[in-house]
Amino acid sequence: MNTSHTERVADALGSLHIELPSWGFANTGTRFGKYLQPAAALTIDEKFADAAEVHRPTGVCPTLALHGLWDLPDGSGDVPGIKSLGASAGIRPGSINPNLFEDQEYKFGSFGNPDAGIRARALRHARDSVAYAKALRSRDTVLWFADGSNYPGTANIRQRKRWFEENLQALHADVDENQRLLIEYKPFEPAFYHTDLADWGMALTLARATGPRARVLVDTGHHYQSQNIEQIVAWLLSEGMLGGFHFNDRRYADDDLTLGSIDPYQVFRIFSEIMSFEWETGTRADIAYMIDQSHNLKGKIEAMIQTVVHAQELYAKAALVDRRRLASAQAACDIVAAESALHDAFATDVRPAIREWRQARQLPPDPLEAFRESGYVERVTARRGGRTSTSSSYA
Ligand code: RM4
Ligand code: MN
Ligand code: MN
């Protein structure tokens, strides 16, 4: 790798910050059950402590996403505690994720529920979440809706869309100038016939109807098999409407597997579209990168570190695409040359350059190895093991 490559990798990595999900440190499972890990975090203190162990060796994960019900069960009463936990762990509170799917009231939906009282209750919780975000100095409130129906004809789809618009507009009125609402979409699950916000077109339409501070969030796992996610990313960038990512990988459905574990080339192509946009416009895309993974079998902190390392490698490879060469191959319709420009970058071993970048920042060259050697898991297993209760999180 030549000097200009090493510099390009360093430039790219310097601007890649990745937010960690609090729920990724807790015990989670499938709908069939949970395999409990003795080292898993039960409390918010433990989640902050575990997140700090990911940030320590990687240096790029300074924020922790929080989930409404799971991390702020007492609402605004929890805010001061979270502030001081964040300060002592050296991790700032990140995006606030309202929980509009677990309460019994939401059986038939939240923002799309036919019952006006339940829609109002859901709006209250979302407004509270925006208020927590303000109090915690978090920029983004991330909205994911489980709303939908299981059988044809059972829901008035257009009516529900109007109800979504109403609540989202009311919520937007609370959002400060420097804050954003990120709207996430997902094709199915838990609803199996129709999901109110099933794809990027629906999320984009609603984000536009919501107001100027609403953007679309792309969760990489929330697409049908073989969907061209990088094209969605390119379109959202061109519309100025891409607000953030939830990183994970999938094989079948919303599997929440480690980013790049199944299809690293896809992640590379997504990053490449972002960098192409930045190269052409001479601007930085204003995107919040977050992980949305829960590992049922892997050690949770290790899996997060592994994800960050994968993300950095794929991001660095995308930074190596020779944009000038690609642009002229595209203009000349030289298909093989254009494709090779991507392939050459993807095939480059960026790990030596990344190791150098880490060393220049007094970070361990191999974050995973450093974490394993720290003995943290053994220490918390001794302290946390043997507890029977599970913190609330999905599944
Ligand atoms: C959903 C979605 C949301 C996440 C929940 C826990 O599938 O990805 O972002 O908050 O899971
Ligand atoms: Mn998500
Ligand atoms: Mn998901």
Side-chain angles (χ1 to χ4, degrees):
M1 181 156 330
N2 57 41
T3 336
S4 89
H5 274 189
T6 315
E7 277 165 16
R8 258 147 76 188
V9 167
D11 272 1
L13 294 190
S15 58
L16 181 66
H17 283 174
I18 303 174
E19 183 161 308
L20 303 167
S22 70
W23 53 99
F25 298 104
N27 276 313
T28 48
T30 68
R31 64 199 169 104
F32 300 103
K34 284 183 189 178
Y35 295 111
L36 304 182
Q37 296 189 14
L42 278 191
T43 62
I44 185 70
D45 312 40
E46 293 173 355
K47 292 173 185 174
F48 269 102
D50 290 1
E53 294 307 310
V54 179
H55 184 44
R56 192 189 317 280
T58 60
V60 296
C61 303
T63 57
L64 182 67
L66 301 172
H67 219 288
L69 217 58
W70 304 332
D71 299 322
L72 294 121
D74 295 328
S76 55
D78 288 319
V79 165
I82 288 180
K83 270 189 184 163
S84 64
L85 270 177
S88 55
I91 297 283
R92 291 192 310 279
S95 63
I96 305 298
N97 298 253
N99 187 313
L100 295 164
F101 48 91
E102 262 188 333
D103 289 354
Q104 291 303 312
E105 283 84 352
Y106 299 139
K107 181 171 177 180
F108 298 117
S110 60
F111 279 24
N113 197 301
D115 183 322
I118 297 174
R119 292 200 302 281
R121 179 200 156 110
L123 176 59
R124 258 196 316 277
H125 177 64
R127 295 180 73 167
D128 287 345
S129 300
V130 169
Y132 309 149
K134 279 183 200 169
L136 292 167
R137 297 182 194 286
S138 299
R139 187 185 188 202
D140 295 326
T141 301
V142 177
L143 298 157
W144 172 67
F145 298 96
D147 290 53
S149 65
N150 276 1
Y151 296 96
T154 59
N156 184 333
I157 293 172
R158 281 177 299 110
Q159 173 73 78
R160 289 168 72 99
K161 174 174 171 281
R162 284 196 294 276
W163 286 329
F164 263 90
E165 283 163 4
E166 275 171 28
N167 261 8
L168 284 167
Q169 283 162 1
L171 180 62
H172 190 273
D174 279 10
V175 174
D176 274 350
E177 195 84 340
N178 53 356
Q179 286 187 299
R180 306 186 302 175
L181 292 179
L182 302 186
I183 302 179
E184 189 172 351
Y185 56 91
K186 174 167 166 168
F188 68 91
E189 196 205 19
F192 291 117
Y193 165 64
H194 109 278
T195 293
D196 285 290
L197 262 163
D199 68 22
W200 73 281
M202 297 176 201
L204 175 63
T205 305
L206 276 185
R208 287 220 167 104
T210 297
R213 289 185 279 285
R215 296 283 182 281
V216 177
L217 181 137
V218 175
D219 183 315
T220 42
H222 291 190
H223 300 90
Y224 287 116
Q225 204 80 272
S226 81
Q227 208 165 345
N228 188 333
I229 302 175
E230 63 269 26
Q231 183 181 4
I232 295 171
V233 167
W235 274 61
L236 288 173
L237 281 168
S238 121
E239 293 294 318
M241 291 300 282
L242 179 62
F245 274 98
H246 273 178
F247 285 153
N248 53 64
D249 209 341
R250 70 190 285 280
R251 180 73 179 87
Y252 300 104
D254 185 22
D255 307 334
D256 285 345
L257 300 176
T258 309
L259 183 79
S261 58
I262 303 293
D263 189 353
Y265 193 42
Q266 180 182 70
V267 183
F268 165 86
R269 296 191 307 262
I270 291 172
F271 285 149
S272 180
E273 282 303 329
I274 294 168
M275 287 174 191
S276 158
F277 167 87
E278 293 183 336
W279 183 74
E280 274 174 28
T281 61
T283 59
R284 286 260 326 133
D286 185 9
I287 301 172
Y289 294 104
M290 311 175 232
I291 298 175
D292 187 3
Q293 292 172 188
S294 343
H295 296 276
N296 308 330
L297 306 179
K298 284 178 175 173
K300 288 155 198 304
I301 302 172
E302 283 191 359
M304 288 299 165
I305 295 173
Q306 194 187 32
T307 303
V308 173
V309 168
H310 281 184
Q312 287 181 312
E313 287 177 9
L314 294 162
Y315 198 72
K317 283 171 189 273
L320 293 186
V321 173
D322 184 337
R323 296 283 151 204
R324 235 180 267 282
R325 176 181 155 208
L326 180 61
S328 59
Q330 285 175 345
C333 295
D334 188 340
I335 299 166
V336 171
E339 195 189 7
S340 301
L342 285 197
H343 181 79
D344 287 348
F346 185 64
T348 308
D349 185 0
V350 291
R351 289 172 301 181
I354 298 179
R355 270 197 294 274
E356 259 182 54
W357 177 84
R358 288 197 185 112
Q359 265 157 343
R361 272 157 194 73
Q362 278 78 51
L363 294 166
D366 182 340
L368 194 53
E369 191 186 81
F371 172 69
R372 287 195 164 186
E373 281 170 1
S374 75
Y376 182 82
V377 172
E378 291 75 10
R379 283 199 299 284
V380 295
T381 300
R383 220 174 28 244
R384 299 177 184 172
R387 301 182 296 187
T388 45
S389 77
T390 62
S391 62
S392 69
S393 59
Y394 64 95

